[in-house]
Amino acid sequence: MDLRAIFMGLAFALMWSSAFTSARIIVASAPPLMALSLRFLISGLIAVVIARALGQSWRLSRAQWRATILFGICQNALYLGLNFVAMQTVEASLAAIIASTMPLLVALAGWLVFSEKVRPLGVAGLVAGVIGVALIMGARMQGGVDLFGVLLCGIGVVSLTVATLAVRGASSGGNVLMIVGLQMLIGSVALAILALALEEPVFTPSWTLLAAFVYTTLVPGLAATVVWFLLVGRIGAVKAATFHFLNPFFGVAIAALLLGEKLGPMDIVGVAIIAGGILAVQLSKQHKVEA
């Protein structure tokens, strides 16, 4: 893993983790599915317009269309839709922690479905990361948590796993930004259908809501997605997914800073264990390359 990939991974993790805090602000004042559908509509249109200006084409291969549609539904409609609904009652930090369990699911799917090899040190690192996440999550659940919201987050992380593996085919062909825009528009349509059926268009306008919406549309919504596609194309889904172990730290820290969510001793211990897991995974990948 080169320095550019590490920088991209850190930038993605920071942007990705911040989305939970901005989402928590949004769903406090707006219907979650409607707000998310509008976010994807705006982000998707911006991405498509820029992509066309750069000469990118929406004439994708069948495999690219299949992966793009799957990513749009699993990542945008299911994963983010479920998380936005859940964060009406679940703290942003807890949602980030649940989502960060995705690397183990990706590694497991890579082994079972794609026959990818994971070295013992890498497995140990993934296990350590999950233990750290479990410690943080266990401490949070002792204080009382909405179990239905946690269930929605859990279903969402499974959808995110599928989406992560799906981008393998969608990240090739030189049309990265176009693919990003198209999958956002697909997610927007799917969410709009659900929103019209399930939600009332009741908003509580404020400058805070506007700022959170603009931020989540442009940074986690557009910039982070582009970086993720490029990172997966550069180092692969399993290696890229190891950066999700940074999300508990970033997610908890940002939520504590901006929302005043509690940061306890067990959070710090869990983050330290997760950091060790990241190091082990990275070392295992280096050994694999050297071999």
Side-chain angles (χ1 to χ4, degrees):
M1 188 181 299
D2 57 28
L3 289 177
R4 183 176 180 183
I6 292 174
F7 176 78
M8 291 169 63
L10 292 173
F12 165 77
L14 183 59
M15 291 187 289
W16 189 88
S17 299
S18 69
F20 295 92
T21 293
S22 59
R24 179 78 164 159
I25 295 172
I26 290 170
V27 300
S29 304
L33 298 182
M34 288 186 182
L36 190 57
S37 177
L38 180 59
R39 164 192 151 175
F40 283 133
L41 176 61
I42 296 172
S43 297
L45 290 175
I46 292 173
V48 169
V49 169
I50 295 176
R52 289 298 295 164
L54 295 174
Q56 296 185 17
S57 172
W58 45 48
R59 295 180 180 179
L60 309 180
S61 67
R62 182 176 299 181
Q64 286 178 319
W65 271 117
R66 182 169 57 249
T68 301
I69 292 172
L70 182 60
F71 189 89
I73 293 175
C74 291
Q75 151 84 5
N76 298 334
L78 291 178
Y79 163 67
L80 286 173
L82 289 170
N83 271 272
F84 263 57
V85 172
M87 277 189 285
Q88 293 177 109
T89 56
V90 172
E91 288 188 336
S93 53
L94 181 56
I97 291 166
I98 295 172
S100 68
T101 63
M102 186 268 288
L104 181 60
L105 298 179
V106 170
L108 179 61
W111 174 54
L112 295 177
V113 180
F114 299 102
S115 300
E116 294 180 343
K117 294 182 179 180
V118 180
R119 294 176 62 87
L121 182 59
V123 174
L126 292 175
V127 172
V130 172
I131 291 174
V133 170
L135 287 174
I136 299 173
M137 191 170 173
R140 293 304 184 91
M141 293 186 71
Q142 288 181 1
V145 68
D146 177 30
L147 294 180
F148 180 69
V150 172
L151 176 62
L152 293 182
C153 291
I155 297 173
V157 76
V158 174
S159 300
L160 178 60
T161 301
V162 175
T164 300
L165 295 170
V167 302
R168 295 164 183 253
S171 60
S172 61
N175 289 321
V176 173
L177 190 57
M178 177 62 72
I179 290 172
V180 168
L182 292 174
Q183 55 90 1
M184 286 180 177
L185 294 178
I186 290 168
S188 176
V189 172
L191 288 166
I193 294 173
L194 292 174
L196 291 174
L198 301 175
E199 295 180 338
E200 293 292 332
V202 179
F203 295 80
T204 305
S206 69
W207 287 111
T208 301
L209 173 61
L210 178 61
F213 183 81
V214 171
Y215 174 82
T216 198
T217 299
L218 298 180
V219 181
L222 184 57
T225 305
V226 173
V227 171
W228 176 251
F229 268 72
L230 294 174
L231 183 63
V232 170
R234 188 177 185 87
I235 62 176
V238 174
K239 289 182 181 179
T242 61
F243 284 99
H244 278 279
F245 282 132
L246 289 171
N247 292 328
F249 170 75
F250 287 147
V252 169
I254 295 172
L257 179 64
L258 298 181
L259 300 179
E261 294 186 4
K262 183 179 179 181
L263 178 61
M266 195 56 66
D267 295 321
I268 298 174
V269 173
V271 167
I273 295 175
I274 291 170
I278 295 171
L279 179 61
V281 169
Q282 291 180 337
L283 289 175
S284 73
K285 299 302 181 183
Q286 292 175 7
H287 291 164
K288 186 175 181 180
V289 172
E290 292 173 358

